[in-house]
Amino acid sequence: MKFTKMHGTGNDYVYVNGFEEEIPDPSQVSIQVSDRHFGIGSDGLIIIAPSEVADCRMRMYNADGSEGAMCGNGIRCVAKYAYDHGIVNKEKIQVETKSGIKTLDLTVENGKVTYVKVNMGQAILKPADIPVKAEGETFISKPLEVEGKTYQATCVSMGNPHCVIFTEGIDDLDLEKIGPSFENHPLFPDRINTEFVEVIDSKTIRMRVWERGSGETISCGTGTCAATVAAVLNGFCERDQEVQVQIRGGELYDTYMTSGEVFMRGPATTVFDGEIDL
C-alpha cells in the first residue's frame, strides 16, 4: 500500500489515495499503521476517496480502529494532498466528511499548499445532539464530577463531541490518569474528547487535549474549535474575533462567527511518502 505521512500541527495521520488504492479493512489497517513501534506511527489513517457530492471524500480512522466523523487537522492535510497530487486544481474546494461537506480555502506557494482555512460548520450546543445525557438547550459551565473532583464543563460538538474544561496549570495535569475517566464518563454515550484550557487573554488560549480512541495528542483541530466556542460562550473571548489557540504541536487560529459557524486556519505539512506491506 502506498501512503503519505502528513501532519497538521503535529496531529499526524497516514494518508492513502482511495482513488488508486483498495483498502478492504480500514479499521485493521489503521491499527497496524498507527503503531509507533511496529507500524508507521500516527494518530490514525485517513483515506482520500471519490465523492459524488464534493471534490473528494475523507474517511478517517483513529489509532484504535474506530471510525471518526471529522478531524480539523486531518481535513487540512486532505486538502493539501488533493491539490499537491492533482486530484483538484483549484484553491477553494469541498470535502465530504461524515459530519457534512466542508469548504476549504487553500494558500498555495510555489505550487504547493502551505496553509488551509476551513469552514468547520455550525457549532452544535444542544446536549441531545452532542450527545450529552442532560436536559436543556446548552451545557455551558455545568458541574461535572470526575474521580471525586468537580469540574466546570462546557460541551460542544464540531461534528464530534467535545468537553471543554477551563483551568489553570494545564501543564501539571496527569492526563493519562484523568483522560480516560472523562472519555468514558456515563454522561457521554459516544465517549468524548476533552480539552483542558488556560485563558491567556481575549485573543489567546492554551490547550491540552485527550482524544477519544487516541489518548493525549499534541493537536486536535475540532478540539481547538470547540475550545474557542466554549471560550466565547464563557465570556473569555469574543465572536467574530480570531483566537490563537496554542497547542503542543504549534498554533491554530479559530473564529466563532455570529452566524454560529466556526472557521479554522492552520498549516498542513507532508512528512514523507512510502509503501508498506500489509
Side-chain angles (χ1 to χ4, degrees):
M1 181 184 79
K2 293 181 179 179
F3 69 88
T4 299
K5 173 82 176 279
M6 306 179 77
H7 78 85
T9 54
N11 193 188
D12 61 336
Y13 285 85
V14 171
Y15 292 79
V16 176
N17 188 341
F19 289 80
E20 299 176 354
E21 297 273 354
E22 183 71 33
I23 304 174
D25 189 352
S27 293
Q28 191 58 44
V29 170
S30 185
I31 294 170
Q32 181 179 344
V33 301
S34 297
D35 193 294
R36 297 189 185 275
H37 299 287
F38 298 100
I40 298 164
S42 69
D43 291 324
L45 171 74
I46 291 180
I47 302 166
I48 300 139
S51 169
E52 295 181 356
V53 294
D55 294 299
C56 60
R57 180 163 65 108
M58 167 178 150
R59 297 179 62 197
M60 67 155 296
Y61 296 84
N62 296 309
D64 66 353
S66 60
E67 186 169 3
M70 176 59 188
C71 171
N73 289 312
I75 199 170
R76 293 200 314 278
C77 291
V78 167
K80 176 175 172 61
Y81 186 102
Y83 186 92
D84 290 0
H85 289 79
I87 294 171
V88 300
N89 60 0
K90 51 190 178 178
E91 295 180 13
K92 190 182 187 82
I93 71 168
Q94 290 190 319
V95 177
E96 179 188 357
T97 75
K98 284 192 77 175
S99 63
I101 297 171
K102 307 301 180 188
T103 301
L104 303 93
D105 290 291
L106 316 183
T107 300
V108 179
E109 297 176 10
N110 300 317
K112 301 288 186 182
V113 171
T114 54
Y115 252 73
V116 180
K117 185 176 183 179
V118 190
N119 182 344
M120 298 287 284
Q122 293 277 332
I124 297 165
L125 304 178
K126 190 171 183 178
D129 297 333
I130 294 174
V132 179
K133 289 183 178 177
E135 300 296 322
E137 292 301 307
T138 60
F139 196 93
I140 300 171
S141 195
K142 301 278 190 183
L144 175 67
E145 187 174 316
V146 176
E147 294 190 356
K149 182 176 178 180
T150 300
Y151 299 83
Q152 296 303 119
T154 297
C155 294
V156 180
S157 172
M158 292 302 310
N160 53 3
H162 293 269
C163 172
V164 182
I165 307 294
F166 292 98
T167 184
E168 295 186 353
I170 61 171
D171 294 328
D172 300 325
L173 294 173
D174 187 353
L175 257 56
E176 290 292 331
K177 181 175 185 293
I178 64 173
S181 298
F182 277 92
E183 177 181 350
N184 299 292
H185 194 284
L187 199 65
F188 310 122
D190 291 345
R191 298 184 296 162
I192 204 142
N193 304 286
T194 310
E195 287 74 34
F196 300 88
V197 179
E198 263 181 31
V199 178
I200 296 179
D201 56 42
S202 64
K203 296 180 182 178
T204 318
I205 60 178
R206 293 181 64 232
M207 178 183 112
R208 288 177 69 189
V209 57
W210 181 271
E211 291 197 61
R212 60 177 181 171
S214 293
E216 183 175 13
T217 59
I218 61 174
S219 180
C220 174
T222 57
T224 66
C225 290
T228 299
V229 170
V232 171
L233 295 174
N234 283 277
F236 299 122
C237 300
E238 297 179 13
R239 287 204 192 226
D240 305 314
Q241 176 71 61
E242 190 171 74
V243 176
Q244 182 192 69
V245 188
Q246 300 173 358
I247 43 191
R248 293 194 158 181
E251 294 88 33
L252 291 171
Y253 299 86
D254 301 336
T255 310
Y256 185 29
M257 307 297 290
T258 301
S259 65
E261 293 176 310
V262 184
F263 286 86
M264 177 189 62
R265 184 171 62 88
T269 306
T270 297
V271 184
F272 64 87
D273 299 307
E275 291 187 30
I276 186 170
D277 185 357
L278 300 174

